[in-house]
Amino acid sequence: MAASIAQSIGMALLILAAYWLPGVALRDLVAWRGLGRLGHVLLPVPLALIGVPLVFNTAAALVPFRPTLTGLAILTAALFALSALLRWRGWRPVLQFRSRVAATRPRPVETWGVALLLTFVAALAMLPRLHLLVRGSDVSTTVIGDIYWHLSELTSIAASGLPPRHYLFPDSPLVYYYWSWIYPATLASWPLAGQSLARVLTIHAFVNLMSFLGVAYALLRATVRPWGARLAGVAMLTVVGGFDYFTGPGATLHEWWQSGAPWLVSGTQIPSLLTSYMWVPQHVAGAMAFILILLLVRHVRGGLALRASLIALAAVFMFGTSTFVWISFVVAAVVWAVLWRRVWWRRAAWPILVLPIVLFALLAAPQLLLAIGNRGAVGWGNFRAVVLGGLIGVDQPRALLVDQILTWLGLPLVAAWVLLIEMGIVFGLYCAFVVRALRRGAGNWERLLAFYPLAYIPIGLLLVAPNFGMRGMLPVQIVMVLGAALALASVHWDRLRTWHKAVVLYLFVVTLAAQTISPWIEWAYLARRGVSETLGLQQGWLLLGAPGSGEEWRYLIPPAGSPAPSLAYIAWANTHTPSNALFVEENLAEEPNQLHLLERMRFADPADVAKHPAGERDFTLAGSRSVEALWANTPGGTLLQRALASPYVAQRRPPLYYVSRSGEKPDLGTPVYQDEYVVIYHLAE
């Protein structure tokens, strides 16, 4: 017990040092005014989450390397030395943070109460990942499907370095916005983490979410004056979803209600914020950078060149961690440029405008080249309301044409109805804020918050890639929450009678409570499985219903999943082989998702990958040109012969392991692992 407690304390100290100290060094490069003690303590973490991947990836564009804890320590020391030099010489630039609301600060009870609430919500959002934190790499499922690929992408960075190579095709680059995984790859060498990528990925997801929620509350605190409106904004950011559940109650499928609605043809969804917190930490990190840009634009004063450079650096990170959030930011930037167009007519402002564009182009160039190499196509989707199609058939050519035209003509109405279901009262209050922003005398800041969502919503709904709606809407949702809070703040409550206030408060609370059902039903479904996998329960705990009546809800804690026998070797490989090992694996196992639990690079045959239902996703992450090259230029010979001739093997010389599913191969030596399904050999150099 004492050893376990000491290990936990040691890991907590390592987390504090790894995420906070680099951020302190980055913070001290600038002389901040008006942040307050709390701001000085909390700002370093988001700065580190953005700054460390930015520096590492920029350096890797010049000299490829593997990110390690030692490299992070060297970077931190160098930043501290630079900040000390700037302080000594008096060269530090000054940035002034100022709130746009009343001079009175929020009461301590609000500050600490919100801090506890945000920590509690972040901890709950991590429950589906609890087994990854507790058991590390010794798991049979990730519960959340996307984590399979997140682990493989993290494996690419931890094993092959920066720029990363593809986890199945190491001779091809990893074509993905992987910057959020640089930090956990850096921390993967922690002895106390057991060298488990699954564990450090979970730790990083929690720190990332806490940082996002803290920055989001800082924006609410600096922008919204009444404490009640601020707390409503916090609720909308954390526990509130939409009315999705009432379109078709279910454990998780209600998030895809647009695909099953009889009056709508759509292939996308707009997930609740809680769903995004659980599923996509990398996109949440991009949204955090977006909020920091809003703070820089609205609440920070200082040199224009410095602020423009900081915005460009945040945009570079945003592009590297979530292309779709970055596209959403570009739309906001265009709206901002239109609203402040008189400023840019002045010739003196042109250098300030050119500076961030050039800086972004230079630092984002490697990621831009990767994005260009991706074979993802962007086009118009099939989003349309069913009008004539309901009478003569949805697939009839005349119905397609007429319904599409009617949808375009009535897009505000159709989109409003969709968003009312997706976001509920948040969307209603945002609409009230838009009306308020259209009045004469409204400032450009209010109009930016009002017009930016209106400009992006058609993109999120109409373009064919679902991630335009699923991920690109994240910044839009944040801005709509801010607009909703500002709409509440503008209500003159003192003019209402007591019973009016009671009725309004009752309706508001009941509506918010109804909107919590959708995200928290999904959370309960995933969290129960995460707890079950952590405890390793073979039988469910606490019977809730009879057999056949919704098996996923039959027990409060359902039975743990059974590991696939054909993948038992993965647990051995994750703990008994070097982290930079390369597994040459013939005839990949039939489990298309669980095979991604191997935290080592593989050399796989494209034909084997193509047999899997999810193989298309693996191919996409290798880029179109790379996949075509894999198929067209695959050399002859056996898989092992092709691996030995691989440029990756020739350059990196990783420890090689051959996984045979066709029996023993005496010519390869003595097996290092063997079971009913595979025989593994360690190949000597």
Side-chain angles (χ1 to χ4, degrees), residues 425-438:
I425 197 172
V426 177
F427 177 69
L429 290 172
Y430 161 75
C431 290
F433 174 76
V434 171
V435 173
R436 181 170 173 265
L438 291 174

Side-chain angles (χ1 to χ4, degrees), residues 622-637:
S624 58
R625 298 174 185 174
S626 299
V627 172
E628 291 167 359
L630 284 169
W631 283 102
N633 301 322
T634 299

Side-chain angles (χ1 to χ4, degrees), residues 29 224 583:
L29 294 176
V224 182
F583 278 68

